[in-house]
Amino acid sequence: MENNDILIRLRYALDIKNTDMVEIFELGGIKVTKDDVLKILTKPKDSYEDEDYYEEDIAEDEEHIKCSNSMLESFLNGFITFKRGKQEPKPGQPDTPIPQKSKESINNQLLKKVKIALALTSEDMLDIFDKAGITVTKGELSAILRKEGHKNYKQCLDKYARNFLKGLAIKYRG
């Protein structure tokens, strides 16, 4: 799953407005305009298979901005701040979280950071997965939420991330 698709689905599920998207990116340390947000939230031509469909309805490639992993991570950090409020940094800590250069799956980060931002418990997350029609055990969820170097760490597959976002949409949009 591409990062742009993750942002599109997250925005839809939680009904985030374009002006809020700009603010969230800024809280995460990235300056974007409302037009940039619209370009990020469009799908590129090559993501559609039916050629007749995209020629008429999809904007040109220069009308699309690809969302990198660091850009998505900054958005998720900003989303935590947007939902929970700014936390005073402890001595020796930077004012804003610095995107890490870890090889941890962006899907794992998505689940962790949305869990923090929305103050979800593990039971809430299991319920969200259940609403999407997928069964995840407490052990699997725990493994996905662990730090990358932990012996029980499990990489979150696109299937889980996609269904988590689908479950969020069902929960928050009805």
Side-chain angles (χ1 to χ4, degrees):
M1 200 161 64
E2 290 187 9
N3 294 342
N4 294 66
D5 195 35
I6 290 172
L7 278 178
I8 291 167
R9 290 171 188 246
L10 187 61
R11 178 183 182 271
Y12 172 78
L14 300 176
D15 197 23
I16 303 172
K17 303 196 178 354
N18 291 341
T19 53
D20 291 340
M21 294 283 287
V22 171
E23 183 181 346
I24 291 169
F25 271 113
E26 286 181 10
L27 289 170
I30 295 180
K31 299 278 186 207
V32 293
T33 64
K34 197 172 178 181
D35 289 336
D36 292 340
V37 167
L38 293 174
K39 289 177 183 178
I40 291 169
L41 296 175
T42 58
K43 292 189 177 190
K45 278 186 183 181
D46 58 358
S47 68
Y48 293 96
E49 296 189 20
D50 184 10
E51 292 180 23
D52 296 331
Y53 178 77
Y54 75 76
E55 283 182 26
E56 298 169 11
D57 298 331
I58 304 301
E60 295 295 323
D61 277 340
E62 56 265 3
E63 295 297 317
H64 174 73
I65 297 175
K66 186 161 174 45
C67 182
S68 66
N69 284 352
S70 63
M71 192 174 178
L72 181 59
E73 186 178 351
S74 293
F75 176 82
L76 293 171
N77 289 337
F79 185 60
I80 292 170
T81 305
F82 182 76
K83 286 297 202 178
R84 309 266 317 233
K86 186 156 178 75
Q87 184 179 12
E88 291 301 317
K90 296 175 183 162
Q93 261 188 340
D95 288 343
T96 58
I98 300 168
Q100 300 169 357
K101 302 277 191 246
S102 73
K103 292 183 175 123
E104 182 177 20
S105 167
I106 198 70
N107 293 338
N108 290 70
Q109 291 181 26
L110 169 72
L111 265 60
K112 287 179 190 178
K113 292 184 180 193
V114 170
K115 179 181 191 263
I116 292 167
L118 299 177
L120 299 172
T121 64
S122 293
E123 285 76 25
D124 294 335
M125 291 186 75
L126 292 172
D127 183 48
I128 289 169
F129 279 115
D130 192 46
K131 285 182 188 299
I134 188 170
T135 304
V136 178
T137 66
K138 280 188 176 186
E140 288 174 319
L141 181 61
S142 174
I144 289 170
L145 297 175
R146 296 215 181 264
K147 199 170 188 170
E148 187 177 5
H150 193 276
K151 68 176 183 170
N152 292 331
Y153 169 82
K154 179 181 176 187
Q155 187 170 1
C156 180
L157 304 175
D158 284 348
K159 168 185 160 184
Y160 291 113
R162 189 174 17 261
N163 282 300
F164 179 73
L165 292 170
K166 179 181 173 185
L168 274 179
I170 293 169
K171 179 176 180 173
Y172 287 98
R173 293 186 69 99

